[in-house]
Amino acid sequence: MGWHQELLIGFDLETTGTDPREARIVTGAVIEVRGGQPLGHREWLADPGVEIPADAVAVHGISNERATAEGRPADQVADAIADVLTAYWKTGVPVVAYNAAFDLTLLSAELRRHALPSLRDRLGGVDPAPVIDPYTIDRSVDRYRRGKRNLEAVCREYGVPLEAAHNASADALAAAKLACAIADRHPKIASLGPAELHRRQIEWYAQWAADFQSFLRRKGEADAVVDGTWPLRELADETV
């Protein structure tokens, strides 16, 4: 039985913006999935402590008024999500996140912002793993497919239903189902163990970043830099 038939943890954040080092958590979801079917799930609504920009509200639908009235303090939400994720990693269960470098970097930045233990601290000094990122895997196994690579588009490609895009629970479930669908279509992905798949994704993401950076520079963006670190980018004053 491949990893995609075992327990997986879908994870997603909806946020105030698109820079993972600066944006804040608005909602988060963690969903247990086995054999593509959802089991238990947890969801959080945060008061991010800053105004949610109108364009972000338009994406996920969480207003400033609702976040302020119903959301838990941001530090409590970040701490709770980090505790849940690291508990799964400690037992070897893969966490599935679409574009994991965004969500995990943002969560890490929130932990630092509130002087909370980092993911690595909670894991005894090791990096979060295993992580499964359908975004990174799909770009590697179907490199030349035309079209968008956002969650909605890739779900359509693999026939995965996405009922309410940019709802944290819906996106977390879709990410886990998408990981299973990719493994079903590509037996070489299904045959890898989670630890080896994690290692391969580090390589694939770095190669994609290098290729994209070269493309941008050929197009005239001489100073373009594409961060090839996956699944957790270093924060500004951290050392590797």
Side-chain angles (χ1 to χ4, degrees):
M1 182 181 291
W3 58 263
H4 60 303
Q5 295 299 321
E6 302 287 351
L7 181 64
L8 300 173
I9 305 304
F11 168 54
D12 183 69
L13 298 175
E14 296 300 322
T15 68
T16 61
T18 58
D19 181 343
R21 294 178 177 89
E22 299 297 332
R24 310 298 176 89
I25 296 170
V26 178
T27 61
V30 171
I31 297 187
E32 294 183 339
V33 176
R34 189 186 296 275
Q37 298 304 309
L39 304 174
H41 98 283
R42 307 180 204 193
E43 189 170 78
W44 295 265
L45 172 62
D47 176 357
V50 299
E51 183 174 352
I52 306 171
D55 55 352
V57 174
V59 169
H60 52 61
I62 306 297
S63 67
N64 283 283
E65 292 76 15
R66 182 181 172 198
T68 301
E70 301 176 24
R72 290 171 57 189
D75 59 337
Q76 293 182 17
V77 170
D79 195 39
I81 294 173
D83 271 351
V84 170
L85 294 181
T86 53
Y88 287 116
W89 280 317
K90 286 175 182 177
T91 60
V93 177
V95 171
V96 183
Y98 196 85
N99 194 11
F102 176 84
D103 296 80
L104 293 180
T105 301
L106 192 153
L107 176 59
S108 296
E110 284 275 50
L111 294 173
R112 168 168 293 194
R113 187 172 292 122
H114 298 290
L116 295 165
S118 70
L119 296 174
R120 290 187 181 106
D121 289 341
R122 294 164 198 255
L123 292 167
V126 302
D127 289 340
V131 175
I132 294 174
D133 182 355
Y135 180 55
T136 297
I137 299 170
D138 176 61
R139 281 193 311 211
S140 176
V141 297
D142 201 351
R143 181 177 179 182
Y144 299 107
R145 188 179 74 246
R146 294 182 178 273
K148 295 180 178 180
R149 298 273 180 163
N150 59 31
L151 178 60
E152 294 164 271
V154 179
C155 280
R156 283 195 297 271
E157 167 65 25
Y158 287 89
V160 172
L162 177 55
E163 301 299 335
H166 302 296
N167 169 281
S169 289
D171 285 2
L173 177 58
K177 288 188 171 185
L178 184 55
C180 297
I182 293 173
D184 283 336
R185 183 180 295 186
H186 300 281
K188 65 181 182 180
I189 299 299
S191 70
L192 297 172
E196 177 63 15
L197 181 56
H198 183 99
R199 188 186 69 77
R200 297 280 185 95
Q201 288 171 98
I202 293 172
E203 297 173 356
W204 295 338
Y205 195 94
Q207 185 60 59
W208 166 82
D211 290 347
F212 188 44
Q213 180 174 289
S214 296
F215 168 78
L216 293 176
R217 292 184 177 184
R218 288 196 306 271
K219 292 294 185 180
E221 298 184 36
D223 297 326
V225 176
V226 180
D227 192 337
T229 309
W230 181 96
L232 176 57
R233 296 170 188 161
E234 298 298 330
L235 302 178
D237 57 347
E238 284 187 338
T239 55
V240 177

